[in-house]
Amino acid sequence: MDKVRTRFAPSPTGFMHIGNLRTCLYAYLFAKKNNGKFVLRIEDTDQERYVEGAVDVIYSTLKKAGIQHDEGPDKDCGYGPYIQSQRKSLYLDYAKELVDKGGAYYCFCDKERLDSLKDERGVAKYDKHCLSLNKEEVEKRIASGEPYVIRQNVPTEGFSEYDDMVFGHISVPNEDMEDGVLIKSDGMPTYNFANVVDDHLMAINYVIRGVEYLSSTPKYNLMYDAFGWERPHYMHLSPIMKDAQRKLSKRYGDANFEDFLAKGYLPKAIVNYIALLGWSPKGNDEKLTMDELIQQFDVEGISKSPSIFDETKMRWLNGEYIKQMSVDEFAEVAKPFFEASKVAGKYDYKALAKLLIPRVEVLGEIAEKVDFLEEFAEYDVAMFEHKKMKITRQLALDNLKAIRYDFADFEDWTDEALKQKGMELAEKLGCKSGQIFLPWRLALTGAQTTPGGATEMAELLGKDESMRRLDFSIDLLCRNI
Ligand code: GLU
C-alpha cells in the first residue's frame, strides 16, 4: 500500500458538528493506524459563509479532541497552501488543462437561456449547448470580455463506477449526472472542482468524508481520469442521527462539539463515544483511549447504516472517565462549572471535587449538586420522617439537640473525626447510626439529596456554619413538630 494520506477538509463555520468531528476522527485513525499522514485543509472559498474566528474553532477542537494533524496551514510540509482561499490562483489553470484534455468546456450561456432549460419543477439539466463551440470562437468571446463558466464534460452514455471501502460497488448512469460548473463566472472554483484538484495536489490517496458525497464521487473520478491522475480510494460515512427520522440539530443543542463541552462532557469521552458511532471494535471493551482506537480501527467495523446518537450512553461513558480522574484533575476541569454555580469562590473546589467525582456523570450537574450549600433556607420538615429507619420528627429533634450539645466543644472538624464521634453518640444514645446521620445531614443542608453524608457536608461547611444551620433546623423543627 502507498503511504496513506488522509485529510480533513472542514469549512470554517464557527462550530464543529459532531458528524464532522467523527469524519475527522476516522480520517485521523485510519492514517495513524497505517502509519500515514493526516492533513488538515481549510475549505474557506465560500466567502458568504465566512465567520470571524472560525478557523480557530477548528484548531481548538482538534486540539481538545486530541487529534493531531501532521500537515496543515500551521505545518506546511510542501503540499501547501493548506487554506483553499490561498490556492485560488491555481484552479483556473487546471480547469484550462481539463478543457484541453476534453474533460471540460467553456460555457457562455446567460441566465435567460439557462432558465429556459428548466422543467416544470424548476430543475434544469444543461444541454451541452456550448460544447459544440469551436476553439477560435471560444477564444474570441473570452477575449471580448464575455462572461463564461467552465463546465465538466460528462459522458451521456454508459456508467461511472467505483468501489467504496464502506458502501461497496457504486455505479451511476452518466446520463443522471450534470455538466456541473467547475469554475464560476468570477473565476472561483466550485467545491466539486476544488476538492479534486486539492486532493490530487496534496497526494491524498484515501478520501474519507460524509455519505452525501457518495453519488457525486463518480463525477470526481471522471475528472481524475480525464487529467490522467490516479483516483484515490474512498470511504464514505453514514450520518449520525438523533433518531430514525431526525438529524442532530443545533437548535436542540445536540449537534456541535461545543454544545457538549458546555454541558460538561469531557473531550476524551466525546471522542471515545463518537468513535463508536458507526464503527464497532472487535472486542467488547468500549472505553477506549486514542491509542487503543488507533490500534483497533478497521474499515470492516464501519457500518453502512446511519447511527443513532444516544446521549444517555455518552453520559454513562463520561461518568466512567470522571470516576478515573484525580481530585486535582477534576477540580481543574470543573472550575468553570464551580465558578458558574452559587458556590463560586466560597468553597474549596478540591474538597467539593472529592465528593462529586463518584456522583456526577457530566460536569453540568455540578451546580444542582452544590447550590444547596448556598441556598440554605426554610424547608419542609416532613423530610425528617423516615419509616424504615423509624425516625419521627420528635426523634430527629431530640437527636439534633444531642448533636448540638455533644459537638459544641469539638474542634476536629473533619469528615473522619466527625463520623467517629457521631458513631459514639449513637452508641451512647442507644440508637441506630442512621438515626443520627440522616437528620444531621438534612439539618445541615435542607436538601433531600446531597453529594455526600452528614459529616462530609459538615466538613465542607466548617464548624461555624454547621452549628448555625443546626440551630436553624432545631428551631424549624420545634415550630413544626
Ligand atoms: N468542506 C467540505 C465539507 O465541510 C469537505 C467535504 C470533503 O471532505 O470533501 O463538507
Side-chain angles (χ1 to χ4, degrees), residues 363-389:
L363 303 172
E365 291 168 52
I366 287 178
E368 74 194 49
K369 292 225 163 15
V370 299
D371 277 354
F372 72 89
L373 287 167
E374 282 302 298
E375 270 170 351
F376 192 69
E378 286 226 357
Y379 54 88
D380 183 2
V381 293
M383 275 195 289
F384 282 102
E385 295 164 23
H386 199 296
K387 267 218 181 96
K388 228 167 114 201
M389 288 226 255

Side-chain angles (χ1 to χ4, degrees), residues 384 389 391 395-396 398-403 406-407 418-419 421-443 454-455 470:
F384 282 102
M389 288 226 255
I391 304 174
L395 180 75
D398 292 345
N399 286 355
L400 291 180
K401 282 181 177 164
I403 294 166
D406 228 52
F407 285 77
L418 291 165
K419 200 172 276 153
K421 194 165 165 58
M423 301 291 252
E424 285 165 20
L425 177 63
E427 217 173 294
K428 204 160 73 187
L429 297 174
C431 66
K432 289 195 201 111
S433 56
Q435 290 172 328
I436 294 290
F437 291 111
L438 185 87
W440 195 8
R441 187 181 63 76
L442 286 172
T455 52
L470 197 54

Side-chain angles (χ1 to χ4, degrees), residues 5-11 16 24 27 37-43 55-60 62-63 67-76 79-84 87 202 204:
R5 288 177 62 84
T6 67
R7 61 17 170 220
F8 177 49
S11 303
M16 181 70 71
C24 172
K37 297 277 186 235
F38 172 67
V39 178
L40 174 65
R41 178 172 76 229
I42 308 287
E43 300 208 325
V55 174
D56 293 336
V57 173
I58 295 171
Y59 284 123
S60 78
L62 263 56
K63 194 154 179 244
I67 298 173
Q68 262 172 16
H69 50 284
D70 300 296
E71 297 176 27
D74 54 346
K75 279 183 217 161
D76 194 330
Y79 292 93
Y82 295 81
I83 299 189
Q84 221 168 39
R87 302 171 65 79
M202 293 183 177
I204 302 301

Side-chain angles (χ1 to χ4, degrees), residues 7 9-11 20 43 191 195 208-209 212-213:
R7 61 17 170 220
S11 303
N20 281 347
E43 300 208 325
Y191 164 80
N195 91 88
I208 300 172
R209 64 180 162 216
E212 60 275 22
Y213 296 100

Side-chain angles (χ1 to χ4, degrees), residues 72-110:
D74 54 346
K75 279 183 217 161
D76 194 330
C77 297
Y79 292 93
Y82 295 81
I83 299 189
Q84 221 168 39
S85 57
Q86 294 170 12
R87 302 171 65 79
K88 276 178 190 167
S89 57
L90 54 86
Y91 300 108
L92 189 57
D93 286 343
Y94 278 100
K96 287 178 182 164
E97 184 183 330
L98 200 58
V99 172
D100 291 341
K101 289 181 162 161
Y105 56 94
Y106 291 90
C107 169
F108 299 91
C109 292
D110 58 14

Side-chain angles (χ1 to χ4, degrees), residues 39 46 50 56 66 106 150 172 237 287 289 294 301 319 339 460 473:
V39 178
D46 193 351
Y50 182 78
D56 293 336
Y106 291 90
I150 296 180
V172 176
L237 308 173
K287 185 160 174 288
T289 62
I294 291 170
E339 302 281 295
L460 209 54
S473 293

